Amino acid sequence: MAKTGTTTQGLRTAIERSGYYPALVAEAVEAAVGGERIASYLVHQETTFDANEVRRHVTVLVLTERRFIVSHTDEQAADSGSPTPYATTSTESVKRDRISSVVVSRVVANPESYAPGTLPREVVLTIGWGAVSRIDLEPAACGDPDCEADHGYTGNSTADDLSLRVSEAGDGIEAVKETLAFAQALSEATASPAAGRA
């Protein structure tokens, strides 16, 4: 489930509709947003299967006039450290001008007959702002297949702070639309010369 919009009341309603500890999630998100006007938001609740457990979690993305806010809430079963189930909520606030990349990957069925405006069956939204980077290295080589010299390593560094996957099959077509709408709002906001200004 994903919900998007631009109002504080709409954000609260979307969090409540997700049904995932709405009072806890809303309080954390609203505290992070403070009094800023909301430009866009996306609420995405996801269920995953971990061994014999079903685990749910919710991610809330909020774009304000000056900041990008990420909130993530996970539930945990009782364990040796806690006799009762518990949830962990974290929020991160990033200045809009810190966002270095917004990557939208679209999976489209039957690309040979693709018509403009057709929604993809899956969208992966990846947002980078420099908090987490991934480095993929591999041994470097030259063009000589008989060369045994050590050429060091080559690789790529990728900003990968947040990755959110939404699919038509798992989340519904509305969730795909809403994710694309939020991604566009975020891309436009980070391209604006006024991004991040007070």
Side-chain angles (χ1 to χ4, degrees):
M1 169 198 275
K3 292 292 171 197
T4 189
T6 58
T7 67
T8 302
Q9 185 56 46
L11 173 58
R12 180 172 267 283
T13 300
I15 290 170
E16 288 170 358
R17 277 196 196 131
S18 79
Y20 186 83
Y21 307 118
L24 172 66
V25 174
E27 181 179 52
V29 171
E30 288 169 1
V33 171
E36 284 189 67
R37 189 181 74 77
I38 295 173
S40 187
Y41 63 80
L42 179 68
V43 178
H44 182 255
Q45 194 254 319
E46 187 175 13
T47 302
T48 56
F49 301 93
D50 184 15
N52 295 328
E53 290 183 47
V54 176
R55 294 183 57 196
R56 298 180 306 153
H57 53 100
V58 68
T59 301
V60 180
L61 309 179
V62 181
L63 181 63
T64 72
E65 294 173 318
R66 295 181 296 159
R67 296 180 297 145
F68 170 64
I69 296 163
V70 180
S71 176
H72 188 79
T73 304
D74 267 316
E75 64 183 356
Q76 306 291 331
D79 56 27
S80 59
S82 175
T84 59
Y86 61 97
T88 303
T89 299
S90 63
T91 57
E92 182 172 1
S93 175
V94 180
K95 287 183 179 180
R96 280 183 8 183
D97 62 357
R98 291 279 321 270
I99 296 174
S100 56
S101 67
V102 178
V103 180
V104 180
S105 299
R106 303 165 189 242
V107 177
V108 177
N110 303 313
E112 69 282 354
S113 59
Y114 176 80
T118 303
L119 288 172
R121 67 179 190 197
E122 180 179 312
V123 173
V124 179
L125 173 60
T126 305
I127 305 165
W129 57 89
V132 177
S133 292
R134 183 180 71 240
I135 298 177
D136 297 317
L137 294 175
E138 61 184 40
C142 67
D144 181 358
D146 297 322
C147 179
E148 295 180 10
D150 182 355
H151 295 285
Y153 289 87
T154 185
N156 296 309
S157 175
T158 309
D160 196 9
D161 295 301
L162 174 87
S163 191
L164 190 74
R165 178 184 172 269
V166 178
S167 70
E168 180 182 1
D171 304 291
I173 197 66
E174 284 304 310
V176 172
K177 284 183 191 175
E178 291 160 356
T179 302
L180 288 170
F182 181 82
Q184 182 172 347
L186 182 61
S187 291
E188 289 172 358
T190 57
S192 165
R197 290 183 193 163

